[in-house]
Amino acid sequence: MAMAMAVVSFPSLLNKSTLSSSLFTPTFLPAKSSSLVIKSSPKTRFVVSASMEAGIGVMGSKLGMMSFFEDDGTVVPVTVVGFREGNIVTQIKTLATDGYDAVQIGYRRLRDKKLTKPEMGHLQKAGTIPMRHLQEFRLVNVEGFETNQKLVFDEIFKEGDFVDVAGTTIGKGFQGGIKRHNFKRGQMTHGSKSHRALGSIGAGTTPGRVYKGKKMPGRMGGTRTKIRKLKIVKVDKELNVVMIKGALPGKPGNLLRITPAKIVGVNIPKS
């Protein structure tokens, strides 16, 4: 029995760069949001679109919150971020070797036996110390970086700069609708038997189901979030800490990712 094979081609993807490149080579293109787009062609081309950082960033540890008094007496709530051993360049990825430009950073030293042999081999190849966390910062240009290079916060950021801080929020477990989504409480008197219950979640006949995304009780917190455009109030070189205005994700000791804030017209083109 003869079997027929269907071949699907996309003329828009066939260009000189695509035909000259090797098979199964990922290409990362800048975009506003991180999304995975897989497109096929006669050569099975995978195109992955991901956002770029406005500049190189660092990782730090949340220490807690305090009040900071400015010169004019204004009280500013700040979050203190400290830095342990690390923020060392462990790998430099380029378009020729990995399909995209990025700088991999390691943070927080730990004992050798806490890492697997592949992880130790990766760090020993770069000549760095054993570190717990590895994160990538995708940049437009990776020139000027080299492996085992240490990044110092006060050399990258200055007081008054705006940064984006990402981290994991505090997990609060399974919560109800009032705490999780700020629902209102029912009457506590006059014979009401619905106090903190969720209530109706949809019609029975039409559509005969519950819409996706309906706000209901469930797991609250413990998710990855980013707070944008926070101002750096103070950089203390002696204590090796930085004070950032406002609240940051997570509890004290949480890992934070600090990058330059993306501001349209300043470090991001308007188009």
Side-chain angles (χ1 to χ4, degrees):
M1 179 183 297
M3 298 181 64
M5 180 179 296
V7 179
V8 181
S9 61
F10 294 85
S12 60
L13 297 178
L14 297 179
N15 48 37
K16 295 182 180 180
S17 60
T18 305
L19 295 176
S20 60
S21 59
S22 59
L23 293 177
F24 305 104
T25 303
T27 302
F28 293 85
L29 304 176
K32 294 183 179 180
S33 60
S34 300
S35 59
L36 180 63
V37 180
I38 301 179
K39 300 179 180 180
S40 60
S41 69
K43 286 197 172 185
T44 314
R45 184 69 172 175
F46 295 93
V47 180
V48 181
S49 175
S51 61
M52 296 285 183
E53 299 290 353
I56 191 66
V58 295
M59 287 179 282
S61 301
K62 180 177 178 179
L63 301 182
M65 294 194 68
M66 60 175 290
S67 297
F68 179 82
F69 292 85
E70 296 183 347
D71 296 336
D72 58 354
T74 304
V75 182
V76 180
V78 297
T79 302
V80 183
V81 180
F83 301 95
R84 301 192 180 187
E85 290 184 336
N87 283 321
I88 302 175
V89 179
T90 57
Q91 186 180 4
I92 299 176
K93 297 186 176 183
T94 60
L95 185 63
T97 58
D98 298 275
Y100 62 101
D101 295 328
V103 177
Q104 186 185 85
I105 306 297
Y107 177 72
R108 191 174 178 183
R109 183 171 185 172
L110 76 166
R111 291 178 291 176
D112 300 357
K113 66 178 184 179
K114 294 292 184 179
L115 296 177
T116 62
K117 289 186 177 180
E119 293 172 340
M120 282 296 302
H122 174 70
L123 296 175
Q124 290 176 358
K125 182 179 179 180
T128 61
I129 59 176
M131 289 175 288
R132 181 186 298 273
H133 305 286
L134 294 177
Q135 290 191 10
E136 289 185 1
F137 296 86
R138 297 186 179 180
L139 306 175
V140 179
N141 189 3
V142 294
E143 295 181 0
F145 296 98
E146 57 183 7
T147 55
N148 205 15
Q149 174 185 353
K150 187 174 183 179
L151 302 179
V152 183
F153 187 89
D154 55 2
E155 295 179 357
I156 303 175
F157 302 98
K158 304 297 181 184
E159 294 181 0
D161 292 348
F162 289 90
V163 294
D164 294 341
V165 182
T168 304
T169 59
I170 298 176
K172 299 182 180 298
F174 193 96
Q175 299 296 333
I178 294 180
K179 183 173 182 178
R180 191 185 187 198
H181 301 295
N182 298 320
F183 286 175
K184 291 184 178 180
R185 188 185 64 179
Q187 289 185 343
M188 303 301 290
T189 58
H190 297 281
S192 174
K193 297 182 179 179
S194 177
H195 306 305
R196 297 177 64 94
L198 186 64
S200 176
I201 58 176
T205 304
T206 304
R209 60 183 176 86
V210 179
Y211 286 115
K212 291 184 179 180
K214 177 67 177 177
K215 293 181 179 180
M216 299 180 67
R219 292 286 294 273
M220 180 179 178
T223 57
R224 187 77 173 176
T225 185
K226 177 186 287 186
I227 304 178
R228 302 186 63 246
K229 296 182 180 180
L230 298 177
K231 184 179 179 181
I232 298 177
V233 178
K234 179 70 174 179
V235 177
D236 196 326
K237 299 181 181 179
E238 296 181 359
L239 299 178
N240 196 24
V241 298
V242 61
M243 300 179 186
I244 302 176
K245 183 178 180 179
L248 302 183
K251 57 185 180 181
N254 188 36
L255 176 68
L256 298 176
R257 174 189 174 103
I258 307 174
T259 56
K262 297 181 179 181
I263 304 176
V264 178
V266 178
N267 49 27
I268 296 179
K270 294 183 179 180
S271 58

